Each structure stands twice: as C-alpha cells, then as structure tokens.
Amino acid sequence: MSRDGIDALLRDIRACTICAAHLPAGSRPIVQAGTGAQIVIIGQAPGARVHESGNPWDDASGARLREWTGLPSERFYDPAQVALVPMGFCYPGTGSSGDLPPRPECAPAWHDKVLAMVPARRLTLLVGSYAQVRYLPEARRQSLTTRVAGFRAHLPAFLPLPHPSWRSTGWMARNAWFEADVLPVLRHLVAQTR
Ligand code: SF4
C-alpha cells in the first residue's frame, strides 16, 4: 500500500464531521495507522483525557494495555508497527454510567478503508465488546468472558480482550486463566510481529 494513500486517508479522517452533531466536545478523530502495521488494536473510543491530549491510549487503560501486550511505548506509538483504530475515532461524551458508546457511524465509514491500507497478514486485537461484536460473527450471542476464554478459535487473525479499564482488574481477579493462559499467548504473538 502506498504511503501517499494512507496519508491522504488519514487527512480525510481528521477532517471528518460525519457525526459531529452528536459529539458534545466536537469532532477530534484520533487514529494511528501505517502501511507496515502488523498489529491492529481496535478499541472503543477516546475518553475525555485522550480527547484533550490527542494521543491515543494516553491514560491508565493504555498503560495496562501496553503491559498486557508487552509493547513498550516506542513500539506502541510507531504507526509503522501498530495501528490504533477505535470503533469510534472521536470522544463520544459521558453519560450517567461513564463514557457513551462509540458513535455507530464511525466504523462503517472508516474501518474498511483503514484496514485496506495495513498488511493482510496481521494480528488484530479486539479490545472490548464493541470491536468483538463487529468482527466476530458469533460474539453477539456470547458474554465477553466466553469470547475471551475462547480466544484460540479466532487465532491467528483476531484475539479478543476485555477493555483494560480499571474494571478489568476485578474481572482478572475472577478469571485467573486470563493472566495464566491468554497474556502469554498475546505477548508471544506480539513479539513475533517484530
Ligand atoms: S466519530 Fe468518526 S464518523 Fe464521527 S466525526 Fe469522528 S471520525 Fe467522523
């Protein structure tokens, strides 16, 4: 894929206002991608802090995700190695129980175009339920715990993960197999992409 092509696409995304009328803080698309990225991380949507900084995963969830994957910051933030493609590129605002869901317009508008730019042979981490429901056909009928426990069924293309928010620490305490079984495989697959 051409460098010019992805640069033009990223310019188009950064100018996107498709759902701006629904974004309380306005559109500020936050996405990272390069033509060599063998790791694609599909998360949820930026939070308020990331909206302010403009740096994806620039929060405690990002620190936990880097720990899970074994990716140091210099690799994580290198678009030639890692694409960061949330289900919604802009901060969707906050409701009574936390951040609102990613805007539904975003992934249908942009994901296929971004994913066409990165290598076909890639490891895609599906972080949280929104990404899993879009990319794993059976996910809608399963709990997140069932999806993650069945991670081997989706390898080598996809690996479902819980969202690494503060809530994940309680989930990990209840599901010790995640640290014992999933994280070593995740780190091994990530290391193989070097
Ligand atoms: S969330 Fe996505 S579709 Fe909506 S304005 Fe931002 S980039 Fe465009």
Side-chain angles (χ1 to χ4, degrees):
M1 296 296 166
S2 82
R3 174 90 186 267
D4 289 350
I6 198 155
D7 286 349
L9 176 61
L10 291 173
R11 272 198 303 276
D12 287 349
I13 291 172
R14 289 181 180 125
C16 178
T17 57
I18 289 174
C19 68
H22 301 285
L23 300 170
S27 61
R28 188 179 192 193
I30 296 171
V31 58
Q32 168 181 306
T35 53
Q38 294 181 50
I39 300 171
V40 176
I41 299 177
I42 303 183
Q44 194 161 309
R49 176 175 162 160
V50 171
H51 175 80
E52 287 300 320
S53 74
N55 297 322
W57 292 102
D58 179 25
D59 52 15
S61 295
R64 195 171 288 115
L65 183 60
R66 285 185 284 280
E67 185 197 332
W68 286 358
T69 57
L71 281 167
S73 290
E74 57 269 25
R75 282 199 72 201
F76 188 86
Y77 288 114
D78 180 359
Q81 300 188 55
V82 178
L84 303 173
V85 187
M87 288 296 293
F89 296 166
C90 299
Y91 169 52
T94 303
S96 56
S97 57
D99 283 357
L100 293 171
R103 287 301 311 173
E105 300 88 343
C106 199
W110 294 115
H111 273 209
D112 287 355
K113 292 175 182 171
V114 176
L115 296 178
M117 293 282 179
V118 299
R121 282 190 59 169
R122 59 187 179 246
L123 172 64
T124 301
L125 307 183
L126 301 172
V127 181
S129 289
Y130 295 105
Q132 291 157 18
V133 165
R134 177 169 173 86
Y135 287 99
L136 303 179
E138 68 280 29
R140 206 175 286 277
R141 300 189 303 274
Q142 297 174 330
S143 69
L144 180 133
T145 302
T146 300
R147 288 178 218 136
V148 177
F151 71 100
R152 290 183 193 279
H154 309 294
L155 297 177
F158 293 110
L159 203 161
L161 295 169
H163 193 280
S165 71
W166 60 270
R167 290 186 186 90
S168 66
T169 55
W171 183 89
M172 285 175 69
R174 294 190 300 279
N175 296 283
W177 49 266
F178 178 70
E179 203 157 2
D181 299 338
V182 182
L183 292 189
V185 173
L186 169 60
R187 290 183 185 130
H188 174 73
L189 292 171
V190 166
Q192 280 189 324
T193 63
R194 277 186 174 279

